[in-house]
């Protein structure tokens, strides 16, 4: 199964068209598609953990499975249900450095996904771990992608419990390692922070900027349809970029504007962060109307300049945002140029690592089918306690493929929430869409799975 840049872009573009996401979350998801650009995630509020706890009644004393022998650990994971605890394997191994203690509490896995619950604690009480802590350079060995989120925070002990999900790898038992080399804390997201320029004001900011048609950008990301002129130019490497000014125009205390120009119905804005927290903060240009409503138009972000390496990440010296303007120039007077800000208070480096054994993957339950999805055919749905995978054949097209988001209905009538989704394809036309549950779900509790209006019943 090959996961390439094109398949990731198609999955994200198609997925975002169907989901209602905050603008901060959209920016974070799209950032993950940019080759070499550091992934920064907006703060996730702890309401999700509360919702999960409310959705499944928790009873520590009734917890079954491996964690039943460890009531102390079950109490630390009290945001989970007894059903979820029954699938987790206790680990309780820790690593400590410079007053930061990382402990892997418990884990579970299927063939290509591992879920790990870990705690991160500032034992020195110096405020380096908060409810908005975000792992930056980290991994689960064997996983192609690793994501994390805070599910619980205790201010009294300065300890956060995080859920890590490693996917698209070989996770069918054996020894794995969880490693953390840096994290960020104290995040603040400010939508439409400024400046609200008109296009005329942008044109007056600096002299006419020379264009560079040499192509060969280190990396780029396209949000929106790839069938527009912007998408075609990016694929061909013919989109011009701006030559930067020697002295940036200040935008924030950590980022400046190095160039701005309107070219062929597109607005180019080039920014340069500083070498401190600007490496991790994010300034995202957006177009709105005079009323402050966002314009849903394609845009691209292009890496430029030298690349700095921080662990597994590459961070570009400059970023050029190219925003498609409305098709009718008569409406351009209504356009306003704004930006969203995502900032952090601290960046903490270290070396925390824990190795442990994963159990063999549990057996899957499946449902065979033949559902035409518009360009591809859904052939099978498989389920493990960690999630639902859709298996198909063909080619996915954002404009014509049907919504393949599954609905998992339990025997008591409730539906199950997903924490994440990913899509992978290969050269032979095989398609896999993995949807990971927020908390483990016993497959025997599932009544049916609905995809594109069809109810599918699991075998076995």
């Amino acid at each position: 199964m090959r996961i390439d840049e094109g398949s990731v872009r198609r999955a994200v573009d198609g997925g975002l068209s169907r989901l209602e996401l905050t603008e901060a979350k959209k920016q974070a998801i799209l950032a993950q598609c940019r080759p070499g650009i550091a992934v920064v995630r907006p703060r996730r509020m702890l309401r999700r953990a509360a919702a999960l706890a409310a959705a499944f009644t928790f009873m520590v004393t009734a917890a079954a499975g491996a964690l039943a022998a460890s009531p102390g650990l079950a109490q630390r994971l009290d945001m989970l249900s007894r059903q979820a605890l029954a699938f987790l394997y206790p680990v309780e191994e820790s690593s400590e450095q410079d007053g930061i203690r990382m402990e892997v509490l418990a884990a579970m896995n299927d063939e290509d996904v591992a879920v790990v619950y870990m705690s991160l604690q500032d034992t020195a009480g110096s405020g380096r771990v908060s409810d908005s802590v975000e792992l930056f350079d980290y991994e689960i060995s064997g996983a192609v992608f690793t994501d994390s989120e805070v599910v619980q925070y205790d201010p009294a002990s300065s300890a956060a419990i995080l859920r890590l999900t490693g996917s698209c790898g070989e996770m069918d038992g054996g020894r794995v390692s969880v490693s953390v080399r840096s994290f960020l804390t104290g995040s603040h997201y400010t939508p439409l922070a400024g400046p609200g320029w008109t296009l005329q004001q942008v044109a007056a900011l600096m002299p006419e900027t020379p264009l560079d048609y040499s192509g060969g950008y280190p990396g780029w990301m396209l949000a929106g349809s790839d069938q527009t002129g912007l998408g075609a130019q990016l694929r061909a490497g013919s989109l011009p970029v701006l030559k930067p000014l020697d002295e940036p125009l200040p935008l924030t205390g950590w980022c400046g504007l190095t160039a701005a120009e309107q070219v062929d119905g597109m607005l180019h804005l080039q920014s340069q962060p500083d070498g401190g927290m600007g490496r991790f903060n994010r300034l995202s240009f957006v177009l709105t109307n005079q009323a402050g409503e966002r314009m849903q138009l394609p845009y691209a972000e292009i890496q430029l300049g030298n690349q700095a390496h921080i662990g597994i990440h590459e961070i570009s010296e400059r970023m050029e945002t190219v925003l498609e303007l409305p098709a009718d120039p008569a409406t351009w007077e209504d356009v306003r140029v704004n930006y969203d800000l995502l900032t952090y208070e601290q960046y903490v480096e270290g070396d925390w690592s824990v190795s442990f054994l994963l159990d063999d993957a549990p057996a899957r339950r499946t449902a065979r089918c033949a559902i035409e999805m518009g360009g591809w055919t859904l052939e099978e749905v498989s389920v493990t306690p960690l999630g639902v995978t859709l298996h198909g054949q063909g080619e996915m097209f954002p404009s014509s493929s049907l919504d393949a988001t599954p609905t998992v209905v339990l025997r008591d009538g409730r539906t199950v929430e997903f924490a994440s989704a990913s899509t992978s394809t290969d050269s032979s036309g095989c398609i896999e869409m993995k949807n990971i549950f927020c908390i483990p779900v016993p497959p025997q509790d599932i009544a049916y799975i609905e995809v594109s209006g069809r109810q599918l019943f699991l075998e076995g």
Side-chain angles (χ1 to χ4, degrees):
M1 186 62 61
R2 189 185 76 239
I3 302 171
D4 56 26
E5 179 181 320
S7 65
V8 172
R9 281 203 185 92
R10 289 192 296 272
V12 173
D13 287 347
L16 290 183
S17 69
R18 299 190 301 266
L19 297 176
E20 293 295 328
L21 299 172
T22 66
E23 195 62 32
K25 183 59 178 173
K26 277 188 185 180
Q27 293 295 329
I29 293 174
L30 290 169
Q32 297 182 56
C33 300
R34 303 200 307 265
I37 297 177
V39 176
V40 287
R41 302 173 177 85
R43 173 178 178 177
R44 289 185 172 101
M45 302 302 288
L46 299 185
R47 286 192 292 267
R48 167 172 283 184
L52 301 187
F56 291 89
T57 304
F58 173 71
M59 297 176 61
V60 173
T61 57
L67 283 186
S70 182
L73 179 56
Q75 188 170 4
R76 295 176 70 181
L77 293 172
D78 64 0
M79 80 293 298
L80 302 177
S81 69
R82 63 180 291 267
Q83 292 96 329
L85 290 171
F87 290 101
L88 291 171
Y89 178 79
V91 178
E92 297 184 281
E93 297 286 345
S94 63
S95 174
E96 187 165 351
Q97 182 184 26
D98 297 331
I100 298 294
R101 184 173 189 265
M102 181 191 85
E103 182 181 5
V104 174
L105 303 173
M108 68 172 296
N109 60 292
D110 62 18
E111 293 174 356
D112 54 9
V113 173
V115 170
V116 175
Y117 286 90
M118 58 162 275
S119 69
L120 197 65
Q121 181 180 17
D122 184 352
T123 59
S126 56
R128 292 173 293 173
V129 175
S130 68
D131 61 352
S132 64
V133 64
E134 296 178 17
L135 303 184
F136 183 71
D137 185 12
Y138 66 104
E139 64 178 337
I140 298 175
S141 63
V144 177
F145 301 114
T146 306
D147 190 24
S148 68
E149 66 174 330
V150 176
V151 296
Q152 192 174 73
Y153 179 70
D154 178 17
S157 61
S158 298
I161 293 179
L162 298 96
R163 169 192 165 113
L164 278 62
T165 303
S167 58
C168 301
E170 297 295 330
M171 314 304 294
D172 190 7
R175 182 163 293 277
V176 299
S177 297
V178 174
S179 301
V180 176
R181 289 172 287 273
S182 62
F183 61 88
L184 295 156
T185 192
S187 67
H188 302 279
Y189 174 64
T190 308
L192 304 183
W197 291 320
T198 65
L199 295 181
Q200 292 79 7
Q201 288 173 318
V202 172
L205 287 174
M206 51 190 65
E208 184 176 0
T209 306
L211 302 179
D212 179 358
Y213 283 89
S214 61
Y217 332 116
W220 55 269
M221 180 278 296
L222 173 66
S225 172
D226 62 357
Q227 303 303 308
T228 64
L230 176 58
Q233 286 184 279
L234 280 169
R235 291 193 303 273
S238 60
L239 183 72
V241 295
L242 308 179
K243 294 185 177 180
L245 296 175
D246 293 332
E247 292 295 331
L249 177 71
L251 290 173
T252 70
W254 49 269
C255 186
L257 186 70
T258 53
E261 193 68 52
Q262 187 175 314
V263 183
D264 298 331
M266 303 178 197
L267 182 62
H268 293 239
L269 298 162
Q270 191 180 112
S271 58
Q272 179 174 324
D274 65 22
M277 291 303 294
R279 297 173 298 169
F280 314 108
N281 296 340
R282 179 169 170 79
L283 184 149
S284 305
F285 287 106
V286 295
L287 297 181
T288 68
N289 59 20
Q290 292 188 61
E293 299 167 331
R294 297 173 186 267
M295 294 184 172
Q296 303 302 318
L297 295 168
Y299 68 91
E301 292 181 341
I302 303 171
Q303 285 181 280
L304 297 172
N306 297 324
Q307 307 296 302
H309 293 264
I310 302 180
I312 62 174
H313 299 284
E314 290 183 354
I315 300 178
S316 59
E317 179 184 7
R318 302 187 310 280
M319 183 73 69
E320 183 154 330
T321 304
V322 184
L323 304 116
E324 280 200 5
L325 295 171
D328 184 2
T331 65
W332 288 2
E333 290 186 0
D334 190 43
V335 173
R336 296 294 181 269
V337 180
N338 286 278
Y339 53 72
D340 300 330
L341 293 179
L342 179 64
T343 61
Y344 299 90
E345 295 175 1
Q346 294 187 71
Y347 172 69
V348 181
E349 292 183 288
D351 187 9
W352 302 272
S353 183
V354 167
S355 295
F356 56 95
L357 286 172
L358 280 177
D359 280 347
D360 292 338
R364 295 173 179 262
R365 296 185 66 195
T366 61
R368 298 287 299 175
C369 57
I371 304 175
E372 294 301 320
M373 301 297 294
W376 66 285
T377 302
L378 177 62
E379 299 175 337
E380 184 181 76
V381 174
S382 62
V383 177
T384 72
L386 281 179
V388 177
T389 304
L390 278 60
H391 308 266
Q393 188 77 27
E395 190 168 359
M396 303 180 73
F397 299 98
S399 59
S400 60
S401 292
L402 300 180
D403 183 2
T405 305
T407 299
V408 178
V409 181
L410 301 179
R411 297 188 185 279
D412 61 7
R414 293 175 296 170
T415 58
V416 180
E417 182 183 1
F418 294 113
S420 62
S422 61
T423 299
S424 60
T425 64
D426 66 13
S427 57
S428 65
C430 290
I431 297 170
E432 282 194 4
M433 304 179 68
K434 183 80 175 186
N435 300 269
I436 301 172
F437 299 137
C438 287
I439 59 174
V441 174
Q444 64 269 23
D445 289 354
I446 296 175
Y448 61 88
I449 298 169
E450 185 172 312
V451 181
S452 191
R454 292 274 298 275
Q455 292 183 1
L456 304 175
F457 297 89
L458 299 173
E459 300 171 0

